[in-house]
Amino acid sequence: MRLLRSPSILRFTALGVAGAFIGVGCLDESMLPNAERRAIPQEARQQAPEKIVNSAPLPAGQYGVQSVNYDDATGSYKMFLLDTPAGAKPMFQSNDVRMARIDDESLTQGKKSYVEFAADGAPTLYLTPDFQIAYTHNVTEEQVDPATGQREVVVVRQETSSWSPFMSAMAGAAIGNMLFAPRYYFPPPYTPGMMSGYGGSGMTQTMASQQYAQRFGSEPQASRISKTGVAPRRASADSIRSTGRGAGASKFSKPSGGGFRKPTRSFGFGRRR
Amino acid sequence: MGLFSRKRYAVATLMVAVDGRLKALLPALADATERIIESEDMDVASEQVARIAGALLEYESRLTAVASWGQVFTREEDAGLYGDEVFAECAGRYLSSGLEADDEDDSLARAALPPPSHEGGSDRTGSDRPGSDRTGSGQASSRALASLDLEGTHIVVMLTVGYEGTVPELEKTVSTRDDVAAALSAIRALHHKQALALAHIHYAPGHSNEVLTDDQLLVNYPELVTL
């Protein structure tokens, strides 16, 4: 029996994973596809996410990863870990995470996605090629704070999607063992629906950001915002999301180590975004 | 042998929007969620989901919109994984209070019981938790709540259930009041048959002194179809 609850202190969290499931059952005319989010009027704008406080690293070693969320305003990865030692929280968050694809030999041995903490605390995500990172896309604007008169970056809309960095090698990117050595990655420019591959990679965040800029003409959003800083978030009536709570339990069995759910003879019913 | 004994596992989510002026609902939702968290028991989760389904049936006339979706699996583990993903996805539609312990969250919920419509006050009957101290904090939050305009606000409840076999009322496009009533009844029936293998509740807003606005409803629950 597994207990689930929000807030996100236990292992299952408030992450959007939209885009991974598609209902194909009876389509009602009254349920029209709704991929476009409404823009939020100025009055109801949400402040951009607060300054990211990276979690304290876990003891050196490997920990299975249940799910990962990437936020493109802060460039931070929020991951839910399995088998954390007693006293350590299963949620780990950092904007300083390298990634690598699990090599083929380990894949054939059934290795699942995991994070490895080095002795100095540096985390590296090792992912299977089909691992989907839940992607939170922040549409931002520069606005002037009426109270202080300062220009600040503000999130005006959020969308969730998914990103598989190692799903398909980008043209010209996979040279030799490059994909298997840990590097810093930036996702490709945001598109709704599943994104695969990456927009920039490098041995340092700066190099990854520069490679992205070479390809797409400007630095990724997370790099730009981290230089100027973001306004603090208030969970108030101005937020795009209201507050809420949830809890639940399940006695379905689960495969150990988590990982990607293989689509079986399943079909959706009703209509989902 | 395999063909005829093929098992079938379904995980279905029913999402309803309720008129935000229905004040009795949020305390009931808070209580149900609290019981699940405290007990960490599947039977309790099943019972609370059925209880909330029953409450929604009772307030059926106050339901304003509905949506439902789900998936069917032949492997139990896949249903289990999908159930976890659905939980995370539903939770992503609201801001969790992000507190370490339950205590702070719940004392706020208990203190913020909605006041009677004509006056704020500490004497209240009905939907209270026994033993909760409401004198001081009750007065203060009553004053705040008395000024809270619930007109045009909403409450959203998401119930996710998992079971083996087939339940047509939960596996069809739910778009009319009859559909919703049938789906809620089907959830209660599953509980009474002790057939629920997965039971989740989500609701928003998280406290009686907060609201869910039209804009927030449209953005975070776009699947809803007006009843």
mmCIF file with all atom_site columns, all heavy atoms in Angstrom, chain A residues 1 5-6 15 38 240 242-243 247 251 264 266 273, chain B residues 40 72 78 88-89 94-95 102 197 201 210 215 220:
data_model
loop_
_atom_site.group_PDB
_atom_site.id
_atom_site.type_symbol
_atom_site.label_atom_id
_atom_site.label_alt_id
_atom_site.label_comp_id
_atom_site.label_asym_id
_atom_site.label_entity_id
_atom_site.label_seq_id
_atom_site.pdbx_PDB_ins_code
_atom_site.Cartn_x
_atom_site.Cartn_y
_atom_site.Cartn_z
_atom_site.occupancy
_atom_site.B_iso_or_equiv
_atom_site.pdbx_formal_charge
_atom_site.auth_seq_id
_atom_site.auth_comp_id
_atom_site.auth_asym_id
_atom_site.auth_atom_id
_atom_site.pdbx_PDB_model_num
ATOM 1   N N   . MET A 1 1   ? 0.864   -1.195 0.000   1.00 0.00 ? 1   MET A N   1
ATOM 2   C CA  . MET A 1 1   ? 0.000   0.000  0.000   1.00 0.00 ? 1   MET A CA  1
ATOM 3   C C   . MET A 1 1   ? 0.891   1.233  0.000   1.00 0.00 ? 1   MET A C   1
ATOM 4   O O   . MET A 1 1   ? 1.858   1.299  0.726   1.00 0.00 ? 1   MET A O   1
ATOM 5   C CB  . MET A 1 1   ? -0.847  -0.004 1.266   1.00 0.00 ? 1   MET A CB  1
ATOM 6   C CG  . MET A 1 1   ? -2.123  0.754  1.170   1.00 0.00 ? 1   MET A CG  1
ATOM 7   S SD  . MET A 1 1   ? -2.073  2.538  1.463   1.00 0.00 ? 1   MET A SD  1
ATOM 8   C CE  . MET A 1 1   ? -1.198  2.680  2.963   1.00 0.00 ? 1   MET A CE  1
ATOM 9   N N   . ARG A 1 5   ? 0.555   11.998 -0.854  1.00 0.00 ? 5   ARG A N   1
ATOM 10  C CA  . ARG A 1 5   ? -0.080  13.231 -0.444  1.00 0.00 ? 5   ARG A CA  1
ATOM 11  C C   . ARG A 1 5   ? 0.659   14.419 -1.020  1.00 0.00 ? 5   ARG A C   1
ATOM 12  O O   . ARG A 1 5   ? 1.828   14.351 -1.376  1.00 0.00 ? 5   ARG A O   1
ATOM 13  C CB  . ARG A 1 5   ? -0.143  13.371 1.064   1.00 0.00 ? 5   ARG A CB  1
ATOM 14  C CG  . ARG A 1 5   ? 1.183   13.725 1.681   1.00 0.00 ? 5   ARG A CG  1
ATOM 15  C CD  . ARG A 1 5   ? 1.009   14.219 3.098   1.00 0.00 ? 5   ARG A CD  1
ATOM 16  N NE  . ARG A 1 5   ? 2.293   14.483 3.707   1.00 0.00 ? 5   ARG A NE  1
ATOM 17  C CZ  . ARG A 1 5   ? 2.448   14.933 4.939   1.00 0.00 ? 5   ARG A CZ  1
ATOM 18  N NH1 . ARG A 1 5   ? 1.400   15.134 5.678   1.00 0.00 ? 5   ARG A NH1 1
ATOM 19  N NH2 . ARG A 1 5   ? 3.628   15.165 5.442   1.00 0.00 ? 5   ARG A NH2 1
ATOM 20  N N   . SER A 1 6   ? -0.063  15.514 -1.158  1.00 0.00 ? 6   SER A N   1
ATOM 21  C CA  . SER A 1 6   ? 0.560   16.801 -1.415  1.00 0.00 ? 6   SER A CA  1
ATOM 22  C C   . SER A 1 6   ? 0.402   17.599 -0.132  1.00 0.00 ? 6   SER A C   1
ATOM 23  O O   . SER A 1 6   ? -0.583  17.418 0.540   1.00 0.00 ? 6   SER A O   1
ATOM 24  C CB  . SER A 1 6   ? -0.151  17.522 -2.563  1.00 0.00 ? 6   SER A CB  1
ATOM 25  O OG  . SER A 1 6   ? -1.487  17.812 -2.200  1.00 0.00 ? 6   SER A OG  1
ATOM 26  N N   . LEU A 1 15  ? 3.826   17.971 -9.567  1.00 0.00 ? 15  LEU A N   1
ATOM 27  C CA  . LEU A 1 15  ? 4.496   18.216 -10.849 1.00 0.00 ? 15  LEU A CA  1
ATOM 28  C C   . LEU A 1 15  ? 3.486   17.992 -11.955 1.00 0.00 ? 15  LEU A C   1
ATOM 29  O O   . LEU A 1 15  ? 2.714   17.064 -11.924 1.00 0.00 ? 15  LEU A O   1
ATOM 30  C CB  . LEU A 1 15  ? 5.636   17.226 -11.073 1.00 0.00 ? 15  LEU A CB  1
ATOM 31  C CG  . LEU A 1 15  ? 6.793   17.279 -10.086 1.00 0.00 ? 15  LEU A CG  1
ATOM 32  C CD1 . LEU A 1 15  ? 7.761   16.159 -10.406 1.00 0.00 ? 15  LEU A CD1 1
ATOM 33  C CD2 . LEU A 1 15  ? 7.482   18.615 -10.163 1.00 0.00 ? 15  LEU A CD2 1
ATOM 34  N N   . ARG A 1 38  ? -4.754  30.274 -21.536 1.00 0.00 ? 38  ARG A N   1
ATOM 35  C CA  . ARG A 1 38  ? -5.129  31.691 -21.615 1.00 0.00 ? 38  ARG A CA  1
ATOM 36  C C   . ARG A 1 38  ? -4.042  32.516 -20.980 1.00 0.00 ? 38  ARG A C   1
ATOM 37  O O   . ARG A 1 38  ? -3.514  32.147 -19.943 1.00 0.00 ? 38  ARG A O   1
ATOM 38  C CB  . ARG A 1 38  ? -6.427  31.889 -20.845 1.00 0.00 ? 38  ARG A CB  1
ATOM 39  C CG  . ARG A 1 38  ? -7.606  32.160 -21.747 1.00 0.00 ? 38  ARG A CG  1
ATOM 40  C CD  . ARG A 1 38  ? -8.846  32.282 -20.959 1.00 0.00 ? 38  ARG A CD  1
ATOM 41  N NE  . ARG A 1 38  ? -8.644  33.244 -19.865 1.00 0.00 ? 38  ARG A NE  1
ATOM 42  C CZ  . ARG A 1 38  ? -9.583  34.057 -19.453 1.00 0.00 ? 38  ARG A CZ  1
ATOM 43  N NH1 . ARG A 1 38  ? -10.722 34.056 -20.052 1.00 0.00 ? 38  ARG A NH1 1
ATOM 44  N NH2 . ARG A 1 38  ? -9.381  34.866 -18.449 1.00 0.00 ? 38  ARG A NH2 1
ATOM 45  N N   . ILE A 1 240 ? -1.316  32.121 -10.483 1.00 0.00 ? 240 ILE A N   1
ATOM 46  C CA  . ILE A 1 240 ? -2.046  31.444 -11.544 1.00 0.00 ? 240 ILE A CA  1
ATOM 47  C C   . ILE A 1 240 ? -2.760  30.215 -10.973 1.00 0.00 ? 240 ILE A C   1
ATOM 48  O O   . ILE A 1 240 ? -3.818  29.828 -11.428 1.00 0.00 ? 240 ILE A O   1
ATOM 49  C CB  . ILE A 1 240 ? -1.078  31.028 -12.660 1.00 0.00 ? 240 ILE A CB  1
ATOM 50  C CG1 . ILE A 1 240 ? -0.536  32.281 -13.345 1.00 0.00 ? 240 ILE A CG1 1
ATOM 51  C CG2 . ILE A 1 240 ? -1.759  30.117 -13.661 1.00 0.00 ? 240 ILE A CG2 1
ATOM 52  C CD1 . ILE A 1 240 ? 0.602   32.018 -14.276 1.00 0.00 ? 240 ILE A CD1 1
ATOM 53  N N   . SER A 1 242 ? -4.424  28.272 -7.626  1.00 0.00 ? 242 SER A N   1
ATOM 54  C CA  . SER A 1 242 ? -4.915  28.439 -6.266  1.00 0.00 ? 242 SER A CA  1
ATOM 55  C C   . SER A 1 242 ? -4.183  27.443 -5.392  1.00 0.00 ? 242 SER A C   1
ATOM 56  O O   . SER A 1 242 ? -3.386  26.636 -5.862  1.00 0.00 ? 242 SER A O   1
ATOM 57  C CB  . SER A 1 242 ? -6.415  28.153 -6.223  1.00 0.00 ? 242 SER A CB  1
ATOM 58  O OG  . SER A 1 242 ? -6.628  26.751 -6.357  1.00 0.00 ? 242 SER A OG  1
ATOM 59  N N   . THR A 1 243 ? -4.477  27.503 -4.098  1.00 0.00 ? 243 THR A N   1
ATOM 60  C CA  . THR A 1 243 ? -3.940  26.469 -3.224  1.00 0.00 ? 243 THR A CA  1
ATOM 61  C C   . THR A 1 243 ? -4.810  25.230 -3.364  1.00 0.00 ? 243 THR A C   1
ATOM 62  O O   . THR A 1 243 ? -5.867  25.250 -3.983  1.00 0.00 ? 243 THR A O   1
ATOM 63  C CB  . THR A 1 243 ? -3.944  26.916 -1.764  1.00 0.00 ? 243 THR A CB  1
ATOM 64  O OG1 . THR A 1 243 ? -5.295  27.247 -1.410  1.00 0.00 ? 243 THR A OG1 1
ATOM 65  C CG2 . THR A 1 243 ? -3.058  28.132 -1.570  1.00 0.00 ? 243 THR A CG2 1
ATOM 66  N N   . ALA A 1 247 ? -4.547  13.746 -1.188  1.00 0.00 ? 247 ALA A N   1
ATOM 67  C CA  . ALA A 1 247 ? -3.998  12.573 -0.512  1.00 0.00 ? 247 ALA A CA  1
ATOM 68  C C   . ALA A 1 247 ? -4.610  11.349 -1.160  1.00 0.00 ? 247 ALA A C   1
ATOM 69  O O   . ALA A 1 247 ? -5.660  11.424 -1.790  1.00 0.00 ? 247 ALA A O   1
ATOM 70  C CB  . ALA A 1 247 ? -4.311  12.597 0.978   1.00 0.00 ? 247 ALA A CB  1
ATOM 71  N N   . LYS A 1 251 ? -3.024  0.192  -3.662  1.00 0.00 ? 251 LYS A N   1
ATOM 72  C CA  . LYS A 1 251 ? -2.406  -1.106 -3.415  1.00 0.00 ? 251 LYS A CA  1
ATOM 73  C C   . LYS A 1 251 ? -2.074  -1.829 -4.707  1.00 0.00 ? 251 LYS A C   1
ATOM 74  O O   . LYS A 1 251 ? -1.820  -3.024 -4.695  1.00 0.00 ? 251 LYS A O   1
ATOM 75  C CB  . LYS A 1 251 ? -3.269  -1.968 -2.487  1.00 0.00 ? 251 LYS A CB  1
ATOM 76  C CG  . LYS A 1 251 ? -4.683  -2.181 -2.914  1.00 0.00 ? 251 LYS A CG  1
ATOM 77  C CD  . LYS A 1 251 ? -5.438  -2.967 -1.836  1.00 0.00 ? 251 LYS A CD  1
ATOM 78  C CE  . LYS A 1 251 ? -6.835  -3.313 -2.352  1.00 0.00 ? 251 LYS A CE  1
ATOM 79  N NZ  . LYS A 1 251 ? -7.662  -3.906 -1.319  1.00 0.00 ? 251 LYS A NZ  1
ATOM 80  N N   . THR A 1 264 ? 0.823   -0.456 -22.741 1.00 0.00 ? 264 THR A N   1
ATOM 81  C CA  . THR A 1 264 ? 0.382   -1.815 -23.063 1.00 0.00 ? 264 THR A CA  1
ATOM 82  C C   . THR A 1 264 ? -0.879  -1.693 -23.912 1.00 0.00 ? 264 THR A C   1
ATOM 83  O O   . THR A 1 264 ? -1.065  -0.719 -24.600 1.00 0.00 ? 264 THR A O   1
ATOM 84  C CB  . THR A 1 264 ? 0.054   -2.604 -21.796 1.00 0.00 ? 264 THR A CB  1
ATOM 85  O OG1 . THR A 1 264 ? -0.981  -1.894 -21.106 1.00 0.00 ? 264 THR A OG1 1
ATOM 86  C CG2 . THR A 1 264 ? 1.259   -2.690 -20.907 1.00 0.00 ? 264 THR A CG2 1
ATOM 87  N N   . SER A 1 266 ? -3.501  -0.409 -23.794 1.00 0.00 ? 266 SER A N   1
ATOM 88  C CA  . SER A 1 266 ? -4.328  0.518  -23.040 1.00 0.00 ? 266 SER A CA  1
ATOM 89  C C   . SER A 1 266 ? -4.896  1.556  -23.975 1.00 0.00 ? 266 SER A C   1
ATOM 90  O O   . SER A 1 266 ? -4.311  1.880  -24.995 1.00 0.00 ? 266 SER A O   1
ATOM 91  C CB  . SER A 1 266 ? -3.501  1.187  -21.952 1.00 0.00 ? 266 SER A CB  1
ATOM 92  O OG  . SER A 1 266 ? -2.520  1.993  -22.538 1.00 0.00 ? 266 SER A OG  1
ATOM 93  N N   . ARG A 1 273 ? -6.149  17.000 -21.763 1.00 0.00 ? 273 ARG A N   1
ATOM 94  C CA  . ARG A 1 273 ? -5.273  17.929 -22.483 1.00 0.00 ? 273 ARG A CA  1
ATOM 95  C C   . ARG A 1 273 ? -3.992  17.217 -22.895 1.00 0.00 ? 273 ARG A C   1
ATOM 96  O O   . ARG A 1 273 ? -3.578  16.295 -22.249 1.00 0.00 ? 273 ARG A O   1
ATOM 97  C CB  . ARG A 1 273 ? -4.941  19.125 -21.618 1.00 0.00 ? 273 ARG A CB  1
ATOM 98  C CG  . ARG A 1 273 ? -4.319  18.773 -20.306 1.00 0.00 ? 273 ARG A CG  1
ATOM 99  C CD  . ARG A 1 273 ? -4.032  19.996 -19.512 1.00 0.00 ? 273 ARG A CD  1
ATOM 100 N NE  . ARG A 1 273 ? -3.590  19.615 -18.157 1.00 0.00 ? 273 ARG A NE  1
ATOM 101 C CZ  . ARG A 1 273 ? -3.168  20.458 -17.248 1.00 0.00 ? 273 ARG A CZ  1
ATOM 102 N NH1 . ARG A 1 273 ? -3.142  21.707 -17.517 1.00 0.00 ? 273 ARG A NH1 1
ATOM 103 N NH2 . ARG A 1 273 ? -2.782  20.052 -16.076 1.00 0.00 ? 273 ARG A NH2 1
ATOM 104 N N   . GLU B 2 40  ? -2.878  6.383  6.835   1.00 0.00 ? 40  GLU B N   1
ATOM 105 C CA  . GLU B 2 40  ? -2.029  5.698  5.856   1.00 0.00 ? 40  GLU B CA  1
ATOM 106 C C   . GLU B 2 40  ? -2.613  4.332  5.535   1.00 0.00 ? 40  GLU B C   1
ATOM 107 O O   . GLU B 2 40  ? -1.885  3.343  5.448   1.00 0.00 ? 40  GLU B O   1
ATOM 108 C CB  . GLU B 2 40  ? -0.602  5.548  6.396   1.00 0.00 ? 40  GLU B CB  1
ATOM 109 C CG  . GLU B 2 40  ? 0.069   6.890  6.638   1.00 0.00 ? 40  GLU B CG  1
ATOM 110 C CD  . GLU B 2 40  ? 1.545   6.739  6.899   1.00 0.00 ? 40  GLU B CD  1
ATOM 111 O OE1 . GLU B 2 40  ? 2.115   5.711  6.509   1.00 0.00 ? 40  GLU B OE1 1
ATOM 112 O OE2 . GLU B 2 40  ? 2.109   7.658  7.512   1.00 0.00 ? 40  GLU B OE2 1
ATOM 113 N N   . VAL B 2 72  ? -6.781  2.157  -19.266 1.00 0.00 ? 72  VAL B N   1
ATOM 114 C CA  . VAL B 2 72  ? -6.981  0.746  -18.924 1.00 0.00 ? 72  VAL B CA  1
ATOM 115 C C   . VAL B 2 72  ? -5.674  0.013  -19.198 1.00 0.00 ? 72  VAL B C   1
ATOM 116 O O   . VAL B 2 72  ? -4.984  0.300  -20.166 1.00 0.00 ? 72  VAL B O   1
ATOM 117 C CB  . VAL B 2 72  ? -8.128  0.145  -19.768 1.00 0.00 ? 72  VAL B CB  1
ATOM 118 C CG1 . VAL B 2 72  ? -8.293  -1.334 -19.487 1.00 0.00 ? 72  VAL B CG1 1
ATOM 119 C CG2 . VAL B 2 72  ? -9.420  0.896  -19.491 1.00 0.00 ? 72  VAL B CG2 1
ATOM 120 N N   . ASP B 2 78  ? 1.602   -1.413 -14.426 1.00 0.00 ? 78  ASP B N   1
ATOM 121 C CA  . ASP B 2 78  ? 1.409   -0.227 -15.267 1.00 0.00 ? 78  ASP B CA  1
ATOM 122 C C   . ASP B 2 78  ? 0.305   0.649  -14.706 1.00 0.00 ? 78  ASP B C   1
ATOM 123 O O   . ASP B 2 78  ? 0.389   1.875  -14.736 1.00 0.00 ? 78  ASP B O   1
ATOM 124 C CB  . ASP B 2 78  ? 1.068   -0.650 -16.701 1.00 0.00 ? 78  ASP B CB  1
ATOM 125 C CG  . ASP B 2 78  ? 2.255   -1.282 -17.398 1.00 0.00 ? 78  ASP B CG  1
ATOM 126 O OD1 . ASP B 2 78  ? 3.401   -1.040 -16.965 1.00 0.00 ? 78  ASP B OD1 1
ATOM 127 O OD2 . ASP B 2 78  ? 2.041   -2.033 -18.372 1.00 0.00 ? 78  ASP B OD2 1
ATOM 128 N N   . ALA B 2 88  ? 0.504   12.965 -9.347  1.00 0.00 ? 88  ALA B N   1
ATOM 129 C CA  . ALA B 2 88  ? 1.395   14.120 -9.511  1.00 0.00 ? 88  ALA B CA  1
ATOM 130 C C   . ALA B 2 88  ? 0.778   15.150 -10.448 1.00 0.00 ? 88  ALA B C   1
ATOM 131 O O   . ALA B 2 88  ? 0.902   16.365 -10.237 1.00 0.00 ? 88  ALA B O   1
ATOM 132 C CB  . ALA B 2 88  ? 2.745   13.645 -10.045 1.00 0.00 ? 88  ALA B CB  1
ATOM 133 N N   . GLU B 2 89  ? 0.149   14.689 -11.487 1.00 0.00 ? 89  GLU B N   1
ATOM 134 C CA  . GLU B 2 89  ? -0.427  15.613 -12.458 1.00 0.00 ? 89  GLU B CA  1
ATOM 135 C C   . GLU B 2 89  ? -1.566  16.418 -11.841 1.00 0.00 ? 89  GLU B C   1
ATOM 136 O O   . GLU B 2 89  ? -1.666  17.628 -12.030 1.00 0.00 ? 89  GLU B O   1
ATOM 137 C CB  . GLU B 2 89  ? -0.914  14.828 -13.672 1.00 0.00 ? 89  GLU B CB  1
ATOM 138 C CG  . GLU B 2 89  ? -1.053  15.658 -14.930 1.00 0.00 ? 89  GLU B CG  1
ATOM 139 C CD  . GLU B 2 89  ? -2.367  16.382 -15.015 1.00 0.00 ? 89  GLU B CD  1
ATOM 140 O OE1 . GLU B 2 89  ? -3.363  15.851 -14.490 1.00 0.00 ? 89  GLU B OE1 1
ATOM 141 O OE2 . GLU B 2 89  ? -2.406  17.482 -15.610 1.00 0.00 ? 89  GLU B OE2 1
ATOM 142 N N   . TYR B 2 94  ? -2.505  22.740 -8.491  1.00 0.00 ? 94  TYR B N   1
ATOM 143 C CA  . TYR B 2 94  ? -2.703  23.683 -7.401  1.00 0.00 ? 94  TYR B CA  1
ATOM 144 C C   . TYR B 2 94  ? -1.382  23.863 -6.680  1.00 0.00 ? 94  TYR B C   1
ATOM 145 O O   . TYR B 2 94  ? -0.449  23.108 -6.875  1.00 0.00 ? 94  TYR B O   1
ATOM 146 C CB  . TYR B 2 94  ? -3.789  23.209 -6.437  1.00 0.00 ? 94  TYR B CB  1
ATOM 147 C CG  . TYR B 2 94  ? -3.621  21.800 -5.894  1.00 0.00 ? 94  TYR B CG  1
ATOM 148 C CD1 . TYR B 2 94  ? -2.751  21.526 -4.845  1.00 0.00 ? 94  TYR B CD1 1
ATOM 149 C CD2 . TYR B 2 94  ? -4.353  20.746 -6.427  1.00 0.00 ? 94  TYR B CD2 1
ATOM 150 C CE1 . TYR B 2 94  ? -2.599  20.234 -4.350  1.00 0.00 ? 94  TYR B CE1 1
ATOM 151 C CE2 . TYR B 2 94  ? -4.207  19.458 -5.939  1.00 0.00 ? 94  TYR B CE2 1
ATOM 152 C CZ  . TYR B 2 94  ? -3.332  19.204 -4.888  1.00 0.00 ? 94  TYR B CZ  1
ATOM 153 O OH  . TYR B 2 94  ? -3.176  17.928 -4.406  1.00 0.00 ? 94  TYR B OH  1
ATOM 154 N N   . LEU B 2 95  ? -1.335  24.894 -5.840  1.00 0.00 ? 95  LEU B N   1
ATOM 155 C CA  . LEU B 2 95  ? -0.153  25.150 -5.035  1.00 0.00 ? 95  LEU B CA  1
ATOM 156 C C   . LEU B 2 95  ? -0.327  24.436 -3.713  1.00 0.00 ? 95  LEU B C   1
ATOM 157 O O   . LEU B 2 95  ? -1.209  24.749 -2.930  1.00 0.00 ? 95  LEU B O   1
ATOM 158 C CB  . LEU B 2 95  ? 0.011   26.651 -4.788  1.00 0.00 ? 95  LEU B CB  1
ATOM 159 C CG  . LEU B 2 95  ? 0.264   27.510 -6.026  1.00 0.00 ? 95  LEU B CG  1
ATOM 160 C CD1 . LEU B 2 95  ? 0.119   28.976 -5.683  1.00 0.00 ? 95  LEU B CD1 1
ATOM 161 C CD2 . LEU B 2 95  ? 1.637   27.225 -6.586  1.00 0.00 ? 95  LEU B CD2 1
ATOM 162 N N   . ASP B 2 102 ? 1.769   18.237 9.354   1.00 0.00 ? 102 ASP B N   1
ATOM 163 C CA  . ASP B 2 102 ? 0.351   18.481 9.112   1.00 0.00 ? 102 ASP B CA  1
ATOM 164 C C   . ASP B 2 102 ? -0.169  19.604 9.996   1.00 0.00 ? 102 ASP B C   1
ATOM 165 O O   . ASP B 2 102 ? -1.062  20.319 9.621   1.00 0.00 ? 102 ASP B O   1
ATOM 166 C CB  . ASP B 2 102 ? -0.466  17.226 9.434   1.00 0.00 ? 102 ASP B CB  1
ATOM 167 C CG  . ASP B 2 102 ? -0.102  16.117 8.497   1.00 0.00 ? 102 ASP B CG  1
ATOM 168 O OD1 . ASP B 2 102 ? 0.295   16.411 7.368   1.00 0.00 ? 102 ASP B OD1 1
ATOM 169 O OD2 . ASP B 2 102 ? -0.206  14.969 8.926   1.00 0.00 ? 102 ASP B OD2 1
ATOM 170 N N   . ALA B 2 197 ? -8.776  -0.421 -5.584  1.00 0.00 ? 197 ALA B N   1
ATOM 171 C CA  . ALA B 2 197 ? -7.355  -0.706 -5.370  1.00 0.00 ? 197 ALA B CA  1
ATOM 172 C C   . ALA B 2 197 ? -6.539  0.575  -5.314  1.00 0.00 ? 197 ALA B C   1
ATOM 173 O O   . ALA B 2 197 ? -5.363  0.556  -4.975  1.00 0.00 ? 197 ALA B O   1
ATOM 174 C CB  . ALA B 2 197 ? -6.836  -1.601 -6.499  1.00 0.00 ? 197 ALA B CB  1
ATOM 175 N N   . ILE B 2 201 ? -7.861  11.675 -3.439  1.00 0.00 ? 201 ILE B N   1
ATOM 176 C CA  . ILE B 2 201 ? -8.678  12.893 -3.429  1.00 0.00 ? 201 ILE B CA  1
ATOM 177 C C   . ILE B 2 201 ? -7.759  14.087 -3.630  1.00 0.00 ? 201 ILE B C   1
ATOM 178 O O   . ILE B 2 201 ? -6.697  14.161 -3.012  1.00 0.00 ? 201 ILE B O   1
ATOM 179 C CB  . ILE B 2 201 ? -9.374  13.112 -2.064  1.00 0.00 ? 201 ILE B CB  1
ATOM 180 C CG1 . ILE B 2 201 ? -10.210 11.913 -1.665  1.00 0.00 ? 201 ILE B CG1 1
ATOM 181 C CG2 . ILE B 2 201 ? -10.237 14.362 -2.077  1.00 0.00 ? 201 ILE B CG2 1
ATOM 182 C CD1 . ILE B 2 201 ? -10.775 12.061 -0.269  1.00 0.00 ? 201 ILE B CD1 1
ATOM 183 N N   . GLU B 2 210 ? -9.586  30.780 1.463   1.00 0.00 ? 210 GLU B N   1
ATOM 184 C CA  . GLU B 2 210 ? -9.020  31.079 0.154   1.00 0.00 ? 210 GLU B CA  1
ATOM 185 C C   . GLU B 2 210 ? -10.028 30.768 -0.931  1.00 0.00 ? 210 GLU B C   1
ATOM 186 O O   . GLU B 2 210 ? -11.001 30.059 -0.683  1.00 0.00 ? 210 GLU B O   1
ATOM 187 C CB  . GLU B 2 210 ? -7.743  30.272 -0.064  1.00 0.00 ? 210 GLU B CB  1
ATOM 188 C CG  . GLU B 2 210 ? -6.580  30.841 0.731   1.00 0.00 ? 210 GLU B CG  1
ATOM 189 C CD  . GLU B 2 210 ? -5.445  29.869 0.862   1.00 0.00 ? 210 GLU B CD  1
ATOM 190 O OE1 . GLU B 2 210 ? -5.613  28.700 0.466   1.00 0.00 ? 210 GLU B OE1 1
ATOM 191 O OE2 . GLU B 2 210 ? -4.394  30.255 1.398   1.00 0.00 ? 210 GLU B OE2 1
ATOM 192 N N   . ASP B 2 215 ? -10.465 32.734 -13.512 1.00 0.00 ? 215 ASP B N   1
ATOM 193 C CA  . ASP B 2 215 ? -9.231  32.620 -14.294 1.00 0.00 ? 215 ASP B CA  1
ATOM 194 C C   . ASP B 2 215 ? -8.449  31.374 -13.903 1.00 0.00 ? 215 ASP B C   1
ATOM 195 O O   . ASP B 2 215 ? -7.961  30.636 -14.754 1.00 0.00 ? 215 ASP B O   1
ATOM 196 C CB  . ASP B 2 215 ? -8.339  33.842 -14.065 1.00 0.00 ? 215 ASP B CB  1
ATOM 197 C CG  . ASP B 2 215 ? -8.772  35.015 -14.935 1.00 0.00 ? 215 ASP B CG  1
ATOM 198 O OD1 . ASP B 2 215 ? -9.541  34.781 -15.905 1.00 0.00 ? 215 ASP B OD1 1
ATOM 199 O OD2 . ASP B 2 215 ? -8.346  36.143 -14.667 1.00 0.00 ? 215 ASP B OD2 1
ATOM 200 N N   . ASN B 2 220 ? -6.137  26.134 -14.967 1.00 0.00 ? 220 ASN B N   1
ATOM 201 C CA  . ASN B 2 220 ? -5.638  24.905 -14.366 1.00 0.00 ? 220 ASN B CA  1
ATOM 202 C C   . ASN B 2 220 ? -6.545  23.695 -14.571 1.00 0.00 ? 220 ASN B C   1
ATOM 203 O O   . ASN B 2 220 ? -6.104  22.563 -14.367 1.00 0.00 ? 220 ASN B O   1
ATOM 204 C CB  . ASN B 2 220 ? -5.406  25.116 -12.871 1.00 0.00 ? 220 ASN B CB  1
ATOM 205 C CG  . ASN B 2 220 ? -4.350  26.178 -12.622 1.00 0.00 ? 220 ASN B CG  1
ATOM 206 O OD1 . ASN B 2 220 ? -3.197  25.996 -12.972 1.00 0.00 ? 220 ASN B OD1 1
ATOM 207 N ND2 . ASN B 2 220 ? -4.767  27.316 -12.075 1.00 0.00 ? 220 ASN B ND2 1
#
